[in-house]
Amino acid sequence: RKTRPFLRGSTLKEENSHLEEKAWLRAETIRQMRLTKVSIVDAYAGSGAVWNRVEEMLPDVTVMRLSIEKRKSVADPSAIVGDNMKVLPTLDFSQIDLIDLDAFGFPTSQIEVCAKRAPDVPVVVTAIANHYAPTPYPVCDSVGFPREWVDRKADIPHLLFAKRRWTYWEHYL
């Protein structure tokens, strides 16, 4: 029997937290795609630790990675340093097999760009959220909450939506 990592519920929220789980999710996706050579866009690349671990897990798979990282101080030397929301809309996804969105927060804008520009390319998404942070409107909208309920200036506290945030997130996806 195979055990699968489950990412919800931990209090650890930092760069490369859950490295094994994140790498496993990506490696399993590639295994299911049955590819021996995979071209990916890594929109939140960081130092490349997640994909370095994926490559260790899949020694028979050649990974070609186009990395985008906003923070020059942590970016891999081969990465495009910049805002992924400026880069993603300009990319030609015709030769891309997989898009990776490993964000601090909810990458709703990036998902929308990928859905429009590369509707047939699978997207692997992992997100980190602070319990006290607001749930993004696109996520709440996907389950029918009116915008005025989610507005930070509204009389309804945004923490009401935090308890079921991950259920709403799964619905949004």
Side-chain angles (χ1 to χ4, degrees):
R1 185 184 123 144
K2 240 190 219 184
T3 59
R4 294 186 177 197
F6 194 69
L7 300 178
R8 259 195 270 171
S10 173
T11 58
L12 185 61
K13 295 170 180 73
E14 57 187 43
E15 183 98 15
N16 296 320
S17 62
H18 304 287
L19 179 62
E20 287 302 310
E21 293 92 340
K22 290 176 180 183
W24 178 88
L25 176 64
R26 287 148 180 81
E28 187 62 23
T29 301
I30 293 169
R31 281 187 200 105
Q32 289 183 17
M33 295 170 76
R34 301 189 191 322
L35 298 173
T36 57
K37 184 177 179 183
V38 61
S39 298
I40 68 148
V41 171
D42 186 1
Y44 293 89
S47 64
V50 173
W51 280 97
N52 291 338
R53 180 67 185 118
V54 171
E55 290 182 64
E56 291 172 6
M57 296 169 95
L58 300 173
D60 297 333
V61 176
T62 303
V63 176
M64 297 173 297
R65 183 167 51 109
L66 173 62
S67 303
I68 307 167
E69 176 52 52
K70 193 175 205 170
R71 300 162 301 156
K72 187 175 184 177
S73 62
V74 299
D76 182 290
S78 63
I80 296 171
V81 177
D83 182 349
N84 61 32
M85 280 304 294
K86 291 182 180 174
V87 177
L88 287 172
T90 68
L91 296 179
D92 174 6
F93 289 95
S94 63
Q95 302 299 311
I96 300 300
D97 300 306
L98 184 65
I99 300 168
D100 181 10
L101 303 175
D102 179 21
F104 287 114
F106 296 88
T108 54
S109 299
Q110 290 78 0
I111 289 170
E112 290 174 19
V113 169
C114 294
K116 288 177 187 165
R117 303 260 307 128
D120 298 324
V121 179
V123 179
V124 177
V125 180
T126 47
I128 295 175
N130 178 313
H131 180 71
Y132 299 106
T135 303
Y137 177 69
V139 175
C140 290
D141 181 52
S142 74
V143 292
F145 292 132
R147 181 175 287 277
E148 54 273 12
W149 286 16
V150 183
D151 187 342
R152 282 187 172 189
K153 297 174 186 169
D155 291 333
I156 300 168
H158 66 83
L159 279 177
L160 287 175
F161 308 111
K163 183 175 182 180
R164 297 187 155 273
R165 172 184 290 145
W166 296 112
T167 302
Y168 307 152
W169 176 242
E170 289 170 6
H171 187 271
Y172 171 80
L173 294 174

